[in-house]
Amino acid sequence: PPCMIVYLKLLLTAVFWGGTFIAGRVAAQSVGPFSAAFLRFAVASACLLLVVRKIAGGWPPLKPAQLLPLLVLGLSGVFAYNVLFFKGLKLIEAGRASLIIANNPILIALLSVVFFRERLTAVQGVGILLSVTGAAVVISQGQISRLLQGPLGWGELYIFGCVISWVVYSLVGKAVLRGLSPLVAVAYSSTVGAVCLLWPALGEGMAGAIGSYPPVAWVSLAYLAVFGTVLGFLWYYEGIQAIGATKASLFINFVPVSAILMAFVILREPATLSLLSGGMLVTGGVFLTNRFAGNGSSP
């Protein structure tokens, strides 16, 4: 069975990613969305590349067959996800967007069965549904039906594009890890994403505004880079490698739970019954999916 440290790292990754909503809110007061995304991944890439050089004694060369998958990782999980995320949030409310993003584990689980022949038992299916339902309860504050009302517009389509981007990132990442270490894969794909984000950041006026960012914005960007990207992406990839994409991706449902908990502590937002009940559903779903997992979940 996988070492418990893998599960702890995945849980902490969800906590780190939950914290990015707090840090992102602070940074967004004075930094444009594309500029914030670029600076986050530029700093993260520099840190990751330095770590790779120290551990590996240099930067491992890539095989020709690895170039395209790494490009896909950078374009999907870093560039496309951020661009579509900010585009979507300009048009629809955050709760509705978060409910759509909570479908990540369902698509990842189904496509992992198709492409990687991961086993998905009935109990695991129940666990996934419980976890997604719990995340939806938390996000919607117990009023899921309200989030499902109204027509499907461009905002919803952009956010669904985020889901597709993260599914591609997770599944392509699983294939890439067969030939690269998680650290190298994350470092290289983060660098690709940062390069792709540079143009829209410059178009947003980053060059002229960067000198006026307040210290609190830089602290927030540092958190986004180190905890939200360096440790978060690395540990997420380690989880995929150890227990499979289906089970690792399920921990993403802890992100809204941890975000609301931190909002309660840091921003003094109230804790509600929907938060507690949703958190219990997410926890139960993760337990079922991992406790009763099949033997062939990950090669």
Side-chain angles (χ1 to χ4, degrees):
C3 179
M4 288 303 297
I5 193 67
V6 173
Y7 296 98
L8 178 60
K9 284 184 175 181
L10 285 169
L11 180 59
L12 287 175
T13 295
V15 173
F16 293 158
W17 285 345
T20 61
F21 287 92
I22 310 301
R25 179 179 299 180
V26 174
Q29 303 303 314
S30 52
V31 184
F34 291 109
S35 301
F38 167 74
L39 291 170
R40 169 186 180 179
F41 286 101
V43 173
S45 299
C47 294
L48 287 166
L49 290 174
L50 289 175
V51 172
V52 168
R53 184 176 182 180
K54 182 177 181 180
I55 293 178
W59 291 300
L62 295 173
K63 299 177 182 178
Q66 294 171 328
L67 295 177
L68 181 58
L70 279 172
L71 178 61
V72 172
L73 290 184
L75 290 175
S76 60
V78 179
F79 178 81
Y81 186 94
N82 280 271
V83 171
L84 291 170
F85 183 73
F86 290 120
K87 278 182 172 288
L89 285 181
K90 287 182 179 179
L91 300 175
I92 65 174
E93 60 275 12
R96 192 178 179 97
S98 298
L99 181 60
I100 298 172
I101 291 176
N103 287 285
N104 272 328
I106 293 178
L107 286 181
I108 291 174
L110 295 177
L111 292 178
S112 292
V113 171
V114 174
F115 292 109
F116 298 108
R117 297 184 179 181
E118 292 191 6
R119 295 180 182 177
L120 186 62
T121 66
V123 176
Q124 285 180 281
V126 172
I128 290 174
L129 290 176
L130 279 177
S131 188
V132 172
T133 301
V137 169
V138 170
I139 294 164
S140 66
Q141 298 182 354
Q143 302 181 51
I144 298 177
S145 61
R146 185 182 63 182
L147 294 179
L148 299 177
Q149 295 173 355
L152 184 66
W154 280 108
E156 287 83 359
L157 293 175
Y158 284 139
I159 296 300
F160 186 73
C162 291
V163 176
I164 299 300
S165 298
W166 191 258
V167 169
V168 171
Y169 182 78
S170 298
L171 297 181
V172 173
K174 182 178 175 64
V176 169
L177 286 179
R178 291 173 178 171
L180 289 176
S181 71
L183 176 61
V184 174
V186 172
Y188 288 178
S189 62
S190 179
T191 301
V192 170
V195 171
C196 293
L197 282 165
L198 176 59
W199 180 80
L202 291 175
E204 197 174 54
M206 181 185 68
I210 194 169
S212 62
Y213 297 157
V216 68
W218 286 111
V219 171
S220 298
L221 290 171
Y223 174 90
L224 289 166
V226 176
F227 292 95
T229 307
V230 177
L231 288 178
F233 277 45
L234 175 59
W235 288 357
Y236 179 68
Y237 261 148
E238 287 181 352
I240 291 177
Q241 190 176 47
I243 65 175
T246 299
K247 290 184 287 182
S249 67
L250 191 62
F251 281 81
I252 295 174
N253 283 313
F254 279 115
V255 173
V257 177
S258 61
I260 294 176
L261 283 173
M262 280 183 278
F264 169 72
V265 174
I266 299 173
L267 303 179
R268 306 299 182 186
E269 295 181 359
T272 62
L273 179 61
S274 63
L275 171 63
L276 299 177
S277 59
M280 291 177 64
L281 287 172
V282 171
T283 302
V286 170
F287 173 78
L288 287 177
T289 302
N290 289 283
R291 176 66 177 83
F292 299 100
N295 293 326
S297 61
S298 179

